[in-house]
Amino acid sequence: MAPKSDNAEAIVLNYVNEQNRPLNSQNVADSLQKFNLKKAAIQKALDSLADGGKISFREFGKQKIYIARQDHFDIPNNEELIQMKEENAKLQQQLEEQKKATGLVEGEIKALQTNLTLEQIREREVKLRKEVKEMEDRLVKLRGGVTLVKPEDRKAVEEMFLEKLNQWRKRKRMFRDVWDTITENMPNDPKEFKEELGIEYDEDIGVSLLSFSNMVQRDKKRVRVQ
């Protein structure tokens, strides 16, 4: 059920005075939908308030702009403005202090939430003791010369590693042959051509086929010595 006309005018007047800014009928209608007021009723209330001198209006073409009557408001003098500014500054300071206090409380709450309960501490202690025991047993085996890697696993890894080294060596040689053929009669500097193509040698990125090959040889010697 829509409000009566006098109630509608009271609602619209209260809204216009609260906003205290230029408004058109659509602005007011959008904001007062919760009161079940139709745009036609709002337009009628605005015109009635304007005709009665309770609000001001200006016409811009076919559109009317309404605003609260400024002479209906108590305008503070200079002393009152200064007092209001001082009170506002005090309130701002109190707000900042309250924000800091709230931040401290929130920090304490987070700290308490991250703390472990006694039961959680005991469970973690059991888990850590188990991990320490496993590490100690592993260390004893290492000190005793026990091989923790199965021979068949070691052999499989070595064979795969050697296969990769052979592929590396083979592809490196193939690239060199192709590169030498391309650049043999080239008038430009091969280094500049390499940089232009974005080609990188092993040495450019800090790796060396020889170092990996030597690593395999050292490993084989160590195995024979053992």
Side-chain angles (χ1 to χ4, degrees):
M1 182 176 179
K4 295 180 180 180
S5 59
D6 54 344
N7 290 338
E9 286 187 15
I11 292 171
V12 172
L13 177 61
N14 183 61
Y15 176 76
V16 172
N17 287 336
E18 282 183 350
Q19 295 300 307
N20 194 21
R21 61 184 176 86
L23 299 165
N24 59 32
S25 58
Q26 188 63 54
N27 298 145
V28 180
D30 291 341
S31 300
L32 298 182
Q33 289 181 2
K34 61 182 178 180
F35 293 103
N36 197 27
L37 289 171
K38 296 183 179 180
K39 184 178 179 181
I42 288 176
Q43 183 66 65
K44 182 178 179 181
L46 287 168
D47 290 338
S48 177
L49 291 168
D51 292 340
K54 295 181 179 179
I55 61 175
S56 301
F57 77 96
R58 293 286 186 277
E59 291 190 33
F60 296 91
K62 295 182 179 181
Q63 188 176 36
K64 290 183 179 180
I65 301 298
Y66 303 88
I67 190 169
R69 286 276 300 268
Q70 300 303 303
D71 55 350
H72 288 180
F73 294 100
D74 293 330
I75 301 176
N77 56 35
N78 289 337
E79 293 181 358
E80 291 174 333
L81 286 173
I82 294 173
Q83 184 178 359
M84 292 171 64
K85 288 181 180 179
E86 291 176 351
E87 291 178 355
N88 182 62
K90 290 180 181 179
L91 290 174
Q92 289 293 335
Q93 184 178 357
Q94 292 176 5
L95 179 61
E96 291 299 322
E97 293 175 353
Q98 189 63 39
K99 285 182 178 179
K100 291 181 181 179
T102 303
L104 291 174
V105 172
E106 290 178 348
E108 292 177 359
I109 292 174
K110 290 182 180 179
L112 290 173
Q113 290 175 341
T114 56
N115 289 337
L116 299 176
T117 64
L118 182 59
E119 182 179 356
Q120 290 173 328
I121 292 174
R122 288 173 177 172
E123 291 177 354
R124 189 166 185 179
E125 181 186 10
V126 172
K127 182 180 179 181
L128 290 174
R129 287 184 180 277
K130 182 179 179 181
E131 292 177 356
V132 170
K133 181 66 168 57
E134 292 174 353
M135 294 174 67
E136 288 178 345
D137 293 343
R138 182 181 176 88
L139 183 59
V140 170
K141 291 180 181 180
L142 289 172
R143 287 174 175 171
V146 177
T147 303
L148 300 181
V149 180
K150 296 180 181 180
E152 56 269 25
D153 293 340
R154 180 187 181 90
K155 182 178 180 182
V157 172
E158 288 179 346
E159 289 177 352
M160 181 177 65
F161 185 72
L162 289 173
E163 173 64 20
K164 299 301 181 184
L165 281 180
N166 290 333
Q167 289 291 334
W168 185 358
R169 188 178 294 107
K170 180 179 179 181
R171 296 185 181 210
K172 187 180 180 72
R173 183 171 60 253
M174 290 171 61
F175 169 78
R176 285 294 187 183
D177 292 341
V178 173
W179 182 255
D180 291 343
T181 301
I182 294 174
T183 59
E184 183 176 2
N185 299 318
M186 180 178 292
N188 298 334
D189 187 354
K191 290 184 179 179
E192 295 180 357
F193 185 51
K194 179 174 81 74
E195 292 178 359
E196 182 180 349
L197 295 177
I199 297 174
E200 293 179 330
Y201 293 158
D202 296 340
E203 296 77 12
D204 295 334
I205 59 174
V207 296
S208 170
L209 175 62
L210 181 60
S211 64
F212 282 92
S213 300
N214 292 338
M215 183 175 63
V216 175
Q217 297 299 325
R218 289 196 302 269
D219 189 62
K220 289 182 178 179
K221 290 180 180 179
R222 186 172 67 252
V223 172
R224 286 198 296 269
V225 170
Q226 291 177 348

